[in-house]
Amino acid sequence: MPHAEKYLLAGVMGFPIMHSRSPAIHNYWLAEYGMLGHYAPLAVKPDGLEKALRALHPLGFAGVNLTIPLKELALPMLDEVDPVAQAIGAVNCVVVGDDGRLRGFNYDAFGYVESLREAAPDWRANQGPAVVLGAGGAARAILAGLLAEGAPEIRLANRTPERAQQLATEFGARVRAIAWDEREEALAGAALLVNTTSMGMTGQPPLEIALDDLPAGALVSDIVYAPLETDLLARAKRRGGRAVDGLGMLLHQARPAFRDWFGPMPKVTPELRRKIEASL
Ligand code: ATR
């Protein structure tokens, strides 16, 4: 064990933070590998972020995840930002170098694509157009992931059309902004439908979209994971389609972060999934 002499430390910074499932995920892996260490929830507000980040090295932290409301704010505070994180405009993983340098990554795009692969191993981004609903931070990560995988066309609909247009401009010609009212007809010929909005989350109304025009073989994915089966996913299943819940993205984005900090690339085992599901 390379780090046996050192107590391994990482955590997640955000505010509020106690709802985060990341401690349960990373502490599960630390225990599984028999590593001595801990991953802590760190309640950090925006005005304390820079000091908190610069304290990581002297405290001996290998790194941290960042969550709401810190992911975008951290970019100018880091010594280096990976191109994927740069394109997404947000950092969800900070890695502390031996010299104290702070490097920023965003593994949400990776996590999303891996969650599709886990649920549908035959899925390929080039199988057809994708329809993405929503234009917030989660949508940015998903666009980056789908484009990197070779998606030929992404139809992007958002309630506020300017935000979809802005993303289409930033991400290039394969992303086409469409009107929110066109989201149902946009399903014709699509291979993937993704909900990145907060609709369908516990306490929110369900996402309004009739699935009639969506081809039978298309995947339907929702980044919402509370509840695990949203109304959208339930309807997709009822018509015989394949549904991918939002927990996979959360579980898989954690893998490369753990690897960067501690060495081994961990797996999302059925036991880990059950454990996190039970905590939702
Ligand atoms: P995140 O970073 O988690 O993606 P966000 O930036 O707040 O969060 O984005 C939330 C997304 O849900 C946005 O696309 C938002 O649409 P607007 O850009 O028009 O705000 C979408 N959303 C939230 N409530 C919605 C509603 N009632 N109907 C449709 N879209 C909604």
Side-chain angles (χ1 to χ4, degrees), residues 68 134-139 158-160 163 180 196-199 204-205 223:
I68 295 168
N158 193 52
R159 176 180 61 178
T160 309
R163 291 184 86 193
W180 183 243
T196 80
T197 76
S198 44
M199 310 303 293
Q204 296 278 336
I223 64 147

